[in-house]
Amino acid sequence: MKINAGWIVLATVMLAGCDSRTHDPWVQNDDYLKEERSRSAQLDEQLDRRIQGQAER
């Protein structure tokens, strides 16, 4: 089986570009970040209530 060296280099570069770390989004300050995270939880609750309402129909 013959593997072209270019493919090996390409695969190496692609794997090196992978970053498994999770980055927090940029926000102005910590209070804003907390507000956004709590708002996200509220939106999730609203969506759950809508889904339950649709399922009950």
Side-chain angles (χ1 to χ4, degrees):
M1 185 169 141
K2 203 175 195 184
I3 298 177
N4 189 347
W7 287 110
I8 294 174
V9 171
L10 178 64
T12 304
V13 169
M14 289 177 66
L15 287 174
C18 293
D19 188 4
S20 62
R21 293 175 287 168
T22 302
H23 301 283
D24 280 332
W26 179 86
V27 292
Q28 291 94 346
N29 54 37
D30 289 338
D31 293 333
Y32 183 79
L33 180 61
K34 289 177 187 175
E35 180 183 325
E36 285 296 311
R37 288 183 175 166
S38 69
R39 186 170 68 97
S40 177
Q42 292 169 352
L43 291 174
D44 287 344
E45 290 174 9
Q46 288 177 359
L47 180 60
D48 288 340
R49 286 195 296 267
R50 287 183 186 173
I51 291 171
Q52 288 175 353
Q54 291 292 327
E56 292 173 357
R57 287 186 181 180

